[in-house]
Amino acid sequence: MLRFNLMIEQLKSFFIEIGELAFFTSRFFKEVFKRPFELKELMLQCYQIGYRSLLLVSITGFIIGLVLTLQTRPTLMEFGAVSWMPSMVGISIVREIGPIITALVCAGKIGSGISAELGSMRVTEQIDAMEVSGINPFKYLVVTRVLAVTLMLPLLVIIADTVALFGSFLVESTKGDVSFILYFNQVFDAIKFGDVVPATIKSFFFGAAIGIIGCFKGYNCKKGTAGVGKATNTAVVTASLLLFIIDFIAVFVTDIFFEL
């Protein structure tokens, strides 16, 4: 009976948090179109989120390209299909691997950073002080960060895809006799409009999900400094899980669209 009551309480708290997240998201969409537009803070957050994540994303993309090519090449050699390597790697990276891996890396770095920053401001009552002084903290802190992640993540995905393809080319040029022009001609011949557009669109949704979850957990942080660590941890876990759900929905919808 005690275990059943515990399950009921956990289920109840889960639905309460879902409702709070829905209200938080609806408030974001209301505030984003209201004046004043915090453009200076938005540009600062774009720099903090985009530029300072560039090195990590580039290294991750480069390693993805190396590993994917090294792991796939022996299998293709068995079937005499090594010439298909640029096409296969290009489609795999642009369609799926590049966006989802970059989003997961950003969920760990950006999502945790946002949650920790806003959580620290909440427990030290800085957000309360902003409200007392007449500043809209939601507009200044949440809207700017969510917009910055939403705008920067597609750019980071494009950079990661480019670096990953370059890493794949290095392996191919080392293992086989493939020139730079030949490799990327095959890659661009294989990649179609229907590969790039859905991957780019879902990158915006990935960014919005990371920003909203990170801000939600940090903005509603409770129970002192211990709550900051908990909020940061749950922000990363929740954002990562939500990324997979969004990715599944995006792939499912894209498949239906192209079947029609």
Side-chain angles (χ1 to χ4, degrees):
M1 186 67 181
L2 182 62
R3 184 178 296 178
F4 178 75
N5 291 335
L6 181 62
M7 291 177 59
I8 293 296
E9 288 297 322
Q10 290 177 343
L11 193 63
K12 181 180 177 181
S13 63
F14 171 75
F15 283 112
I16 289 174
E17 187 168 8
I18 292 295
E20 291 175 347
L21 179 60
F23 177 78
F24 189 87
T25 305
S26 65
R27 185 180 177 186
F28 163 75
F29 284 108
K30 290 178 182 178
E31 295 282 353
V32 73
F33 298 108
K34 291 183 180 179
R35 295 179 179 273
F37 301 113
E38 304 288 350
L39 295 179
K40 186 176 180 180
E41 180 66 15
L42 176 61
M43 295 302 295
L44 175 62
Q45 291 303 319
C46 287
Y47 169 78
Q48 297 280 356
I49 290 169
Y51 179 75
R52 294 194 173 180
S53 302
L54 188 59
L55 180 61
L56 177 62
V57 167
S58 299
I59 294 174
T60 303
F62 185 72
I63 294 174
I64 288 172
L66 292 177
V67 172
L68 181 62
T69 307
L70 286 172
Q71 292 287 339
T72 309
R73 200 171 196 280
T75 303
L76 293 181
M77 287 182 66
E78 293 181 4
F79 295 95
V82 182
S83 60
W84 289 94
M85 175 65 71
S87 303
M88 190 214 69
V89 171
I91 293 174
S92 300
I93 289 175
V94 171
R95 276 188 182 180
E96 188 63 30
I97 298 176
I100 192 64
I101 296 297
T102 305
L104 288 172
V105 171
C106 290
K109 183 183 185 300
I110 299 171
S112 62
I114 291 175
S115 179
E117 184 182 9
L118 296 188
S120 299
M121 295 180 71
R122 171 62 74 182
V123 299
T124 56
E125 299 182 351
Q126 294 181 49
I127 295 178
D128 297 331
M130 292 176 68
E131 291 176 345
V132 171
S133 61
I135 300 174
N136 185 351
F138 193 95
K139 181 79 173 180
Y140 186 80
L141 299 174
V142 174
V143 173
T144 54
R145 282 162 174 79
V146 175
L147 285 178
V149 184
T150 305
L151 295 174
M152 288 297 104
L153 191 63
L155 297 178
L156 292 174
V157 168
I158 292 172
I159 293 171
D161 290 349
T162 304
V163 176
L165 291 173
F166 182 74
S168 176
F169 160 72
L170 290 181
V171 175
E172 276 296 287
S173 63
T174 303
K175 297 284 187 179
D177 187 17
V178 180
S179 66
F180 182 87
I181 296 176
L182 175 61
Y183 182 87
F184 280 94
N185 278 341
Q186 291 182 344
V187 169
F188 291 129
D189 285 342
I191 297 175
K192 306 299 181 184
F193 184 78
D195 299 323
V196 177
V197 173
T200 304
I201 292 175
K202 71 180 179 182
S203 297
F204 283 101
F205 285 97
F206 288 164
I210 294 171
I212 288 175
I213 295 297
C215 290
F216 171 74
K217 292 294 184 179
Y219 197 81
N220 297 299
C221 179
K222 299 176 183 178
K223 299 180 180 179
T225 54
V228 177
K230 183 179 179 181
T232 303
N233 181 51
T234 54
V236 175
V237 174
T238 306
S240 300
L241 179 61
L242 188 58
L243 290 176
F244 285 112
I245 296 174
I246 294 173
D247 187 50
F248 168 74
I249 295 173
V251 172
F252 185 75
V253 171
T254 303
D255 184 63
I256 294 177
F257 177 79
F258 280 99
E259 276 189 358
L260 295 176

